[in-house]
Amino acid sequence: MSLNRSKLYVLLSIACVAGYIWLGAAMSSSIAEKNSFGVCPIKYITNIPCPACGSTRSVVALVNGNFIDAIQTNPLGYFVAIIMMVFPIWILIDLVLKKDSLFKYYQKVEMNLKKPLLAIPLSILIIINWVWNINKGL
């Protein structure tokens, strides 16, 4: 499925809004600190954490200024936080200026991720993070 500019911007906007709602809920009710709560279907079904498990707790730690805790919980939280901060602003700038710089960036990233020279090391890093999540007992 190839995304056009409009579909990408709508999808990213919805994802960011959902992420902010989820982050707000996590911060207001301490969901991030409760290990019994989870929405990960992989962990729910298999009782094994996925590579992204702990990302919410990591972002909450970042928001609270606990940078070491954030990286120890899940380094992917840093990427999630960056995306949640940058993409909404980028989308707004593109919409106001009637540009498509985010869409062009997305296309370049998608093209580069198909190259084994980049895809293999990134896949290995995700697997390492997954093993680390399992060993931590997330």
Side-chain angles (χ1 to χ4, degrees):
M1 178 176 104
S2 182
L3 292 176
N4 62 29
R5 178 185 179 272
S6 297
K7 286 181 183 178
L8 176 67
Y9 286 24
V10 167
L11 180 65
L12 289 175
S13 296
I14 290 170
C16 284
V17 168
Y20 281 118
I21 291 169
W22 181 250
L23 182 61
M27 292 183 73
S28 67
S29 64
S30 300
I31 289 172
E33 295 176 6
K34 295 179 184 176
N35 289 329
S36 62
F37 181 85
V39 294
C40 178
I42 294 172
K43 186 169 182 179
Y44 181 76
I45 293 169
T46 67
N47 205 27
I48 298 170
C50 76
C53 281
S55 293
T56 300
R57 285 175 273 174
S58 179
V59 173
V60 169
L62 283 171
V63 169
N64 291 323
N66 301 322
F67 304 109
I68 302 297
D69 289 347
I71 205 158
Q72 288 175 340
T73 303
N74 193 332
L76 294 178
Y78 275 87
F79 295 107
V80 171
I82 290 168
I83 288 168
M84 288 177 70
M85 288 186 305
V86 172
F87 281 15
I89 296 167
W90 199 346
I91 290 169
L92 282 174
I93 290 170
D94 269 5
L95 292 175
V96 168
L97 299 177
K98 297 180 181 174
K99 302 280 184 179
D100 60 354
S101 62
L102 177 58
F103 182 64
K104 288 179 181 176
Y105 177 76
Y106 162 78
Q107 288 177 318
K108 287 180 186 176
V109 169
E110 185 180 37
M111 184 179 61
N112 285 324
L113 286 176
K114 292 178 181 179
K115 297 178 181 176
L117 192 60
L118 185 59
I120 292 171
L122 286 177
S123 298
I124 291 170
L125 285 174
I126 295 295
I127 291 168
I128 290 169
N129 190 56
W130 191 9
V131 170
W132 189 38
N133 279 352
I134 293 168
N135 286 333
K136 288 186 295 187
L138 273 182

